[in-house]
Amino acid sequence: RDVTGVQTCALPISIPGNVSPWYQTTLYAKVPGYLKEIRFDKGDVVTKGQLLAVIDAPEIDDQYRQAQADYAIKRLTYERMHRVWKEDPDVIAKQDVDTAEAAAEAARHLRDGRKTLLDYTRVIAPFTGTITARFADPGALIQSATRSATQATPLFTLMDLETVRIYANVPQE
């Protein structure tokens, strides 16, 4: 009898089931380039935040450097104009100072965006788990998966096997 007073019968039964990882993800590249370095293979355990692979994307590096230089000159231009305007407001119109400030701010945002893209050349483990599949080798041309994951080559499948889910269909009988 259980706690409600209903008589129960516990019979052992064997039923098929599926074991699934708690977390599972297939990792793709966010930026296109050549796979420069791959640090892990099937069966390797990785920790959250660990560097898994590096993509060589010189175009993105060049775009970041250009944005960095553009921001530096626009910031310097704004600072100079602001300093002159502070000393003598009749020499430079406030609107020109505001325009230079906005241009510097826009250049800073562009630089920060390019830096984010540059950071995406480093593929990082999103959680601790086991590499269960590796799909690419160094030198492979990797397409960006931002528009379509079906046309991009995946890099890894990562699973957290420490905690699992078990799915079983229990017959009504």
Side-chain angles (χ1 to χ4, degrees), residues 11-52:
L11 296 175
I13 61 170
S14 295
I15 56 174
N18 293 322
V19 179
S20 296
W22 188 254
Y23 293 122
Q24 173 181 338
T25 189
T26 301
L27 299 174
Y28 291 86
K30 177 104 176 182
V31 295
Y34 288 96
L35 191 56
K36 180 178 182 178
E37 182 181 336
I38 195 155
R39 295 184 170 196
F40 296 94
D41 202 357
K42 287 189 238 181
D44 290 341
V45 176
V46 298
T47 58
K48 180 178 181 175
Q50 196 166 14
L51 179 64
L52 304 178

Side-chain angles (χ1 to χ4, degrees), residues 39-155:
R39 295 184 170 196
F40 296 94
D41 202 357
K42 287 189 238 181
D44 290 341
V45 176
V46 298
T47 58
K48 180 178 181 175
Q50 196 166 14
L51 179 64
L52 304 178
V54 177
I55 298 168
D56 185 23
E59 298 88 0
I60 293 172
D61 188 46
D62 289 346
Q63 290 171 359
Y64 170 68
R65 290 173 197 243
Q66 182 179 2
Q68 196 173 26
D70 187 48
Y71 170 64
I73 193 66
K74 287 183 178 177
R75 180 181 46 83
L76 186 62
T77 300
Y78 161 69
E79 289 171 355
R80 287 176 178 163
M81 290 179 81
H82 187 261
R83 192 171 31 253
V84 168
W85 178 78
K86 280 265 205 195
E87 291 173 6
D88 188 358
D90 294 331
V91 174
I92 296 176
K94 176 69 168 123
Q95 181 178 355
D96 292 339
V97 175
D98 293 342
T99 301
E101 181 181 22
E105 188 68 15
R108 184 180 65 81
H109 286 293
L110 181 63
R111 181 209 58 190
D112 293 349
R114 296 288 191 232
K115 175 70 170 114
T116 300
L117 284 177
L118 190 59
D119 291 343
Y120 286 138
T121 61
R122 300 169 49 84
V123 180
I124 305 295
F127 54 84
T128 297
T130 303
I131 302 288
T132 58
R134 188 184 101 188
F135 300 100
D137 293 314
L141 176 61
I142 304 298
Q143 296 298 322
S144 169
T146 55
R147 293 203 172 110
S148 171
T150 58
Q151 294 178 350
T153 303
L155 299 175

